[in-house]
Amino acid sequence: MKRNHYKTKKGMKMMAAMALSAVLLAGCGQDDGEDGRDTIADAGGAGVIETQRPEDTAGTEGTADTEGTSGTENQDDQNQTAETGSTQLEVRFGDNGKAFMMTLLDNETAAAIARYVGTSDWRLPIYERDDDVDYSVLQYYDIPSRYDIPSDNPETVTEAKAGDVFYSDPNRIVLFYHDAEISAEYTKIGTFDATEEFVTAVEENPVLEGWGNKIIQISQP
């Protein structure tokens, strides 16, 4: 009887030990699973970050593209303003002359002149030395050769009105301050309001002392 009782107690101890081992193994398995989930979560987090980065980049690129487009549109608007007929330049006859406004036409020649004057005011000499030019109706001003002025569709002009301004290739501005009948290849670039005050300013532009000729100043208002 005692021997059987010992075997039973020994068997119960073995069963208890096996149960405890099973519990411990289950706990280890659960820990391993939790570790696995943490690793997956980390990988998932990294995956999310990597997924977001292209989106963030795309969003940034989209913004840059939009800003670039806006900048281009603004530049186009500025160029368009410089080439419209409403563009004006300020002109003075002599160093201390009154300012008169020249309204430019909408063509490439006038736009080029406006752009150059926008970067640096012009102070041009007036020559009255050509025997075949009627200086009682016109004046001309030579633009330095470093300025590349396009001649936009020159036409044969047979009549000019007081205040008309033409471009003569290469690099010459021709102003008529009285009506005239002519025959020349010009590109019209602008007009003045040929008031009596304007005509007087052109006619009475003094010869620059020590230089031997007159000057004209052209600038943006």
Side-chain angles (χ1 to χ4, degrees):
M1 293 290 295
K2 289 183 180 179
R3 187 175 182 180
N4 292 338
H5 177 71
Y6 172 77
K7 290 183 178 179
T8 302
K9 290 176 65 177
K10 186 177 180 179
M12 292 178 64
K13 288 181 180 181
M14 292 181 60
M15 292 178 62
M18 293 175 62
L20 179 60
S21 298
V23 170
L24 291 175
L25 290 174
C28 291
Q30 184 176 2
D31 291 341
D32 291 342
E34 288 176 354
D35 290 342
R37 285 195 295 272
D38 290 343
T39 303
I40 292 170
D42 290 342
V48 170
I49 292 172
E50 293 298 326
T51 303
Q52 288 175 342
R53 284 175 181 169
E55 292 173 358
D56 292 343
T57 304
T60 303
E61 292 175 351
T63 302
D65 290 342
T66 301
E67 292 174 352
T69 302
S70 177
T72 303
E73 290 173 354
N74 290 339
Q75 184 64 43
D76 291 341
D77 290 342
Q78 292 174 2
N79 292 339
Q80 184 176 1
T81 300
E83 297 177 1
T84 58
S86 62
T87 302
Q88 291 186 317
L89 295 178
E90 187 176 272
V91 179
R92 298 176 186 271
F93 300 92
D95 279 335
N96 301 310
K98 178 182 176 179
F100 295 92
M101 304 309 296
M102 176 173 65
T103 301
L104 299 180
L105 272 63
D106 182 10
N107 58 50
E108 292 182 5
T109 306
I113 291 173
R115 285 195 297 271
Y116 286 130
V117 172
T119 60
S120 177
D121 294 349
W122 283 356
R123 189 172 183 266
L124 306 178
I126 301 171
Y127 298 104
E128 296 181 346
R129 301 172 184 168
D130 292 353
D131 294 335
D132 59 346
V133 175
D134 185 359
Y135 293 108
S136 66
V137 297
L138 69 85
Q139 288 184 343
Y140 69 81
Y141 325 113
D142 286 338
I143 302 169
S145 59
R146 66 178 178 273
Y147 295 105
D148 183 16
I149 311 294
S151 183
D152 187 12
N153 298 322
E155 299 178 350
T156 301
V157 179
T158 58
E159 183 180 28
K161 298 292 184 182
D164 286 348
V165 186
F166 299 93
Y167 174 78
S168 177
D169 190 41
N171 285 42
R172 176 171 288 182
I173 296 175
V174 182
L175 164 66
F176 286 86
Y177 58 96
H178 287 295
D179 295 349
E181 293 183 359
I182 58 175
S183 179
E185 291 291 318
Y186 289 148
T187 298
K188 189 172 183 179
I189 59 172
T191 57
F192 287 96
D193 184 8
T195 62
E196 183 177 348
E197 185 180 23
F198 169 79
V199 174
T200 300
V202 176
E203 291 177 336
E204 296 183 0
N205 185 2
V207 174
L208 191 64
E209 185 176 354
W211 202 9
N213 56 308
K214 306 173 183 180
I215 64 133
I216 183 175
Q217 299 183 77
I218 306 176
S219 60
Q220 285 195 346

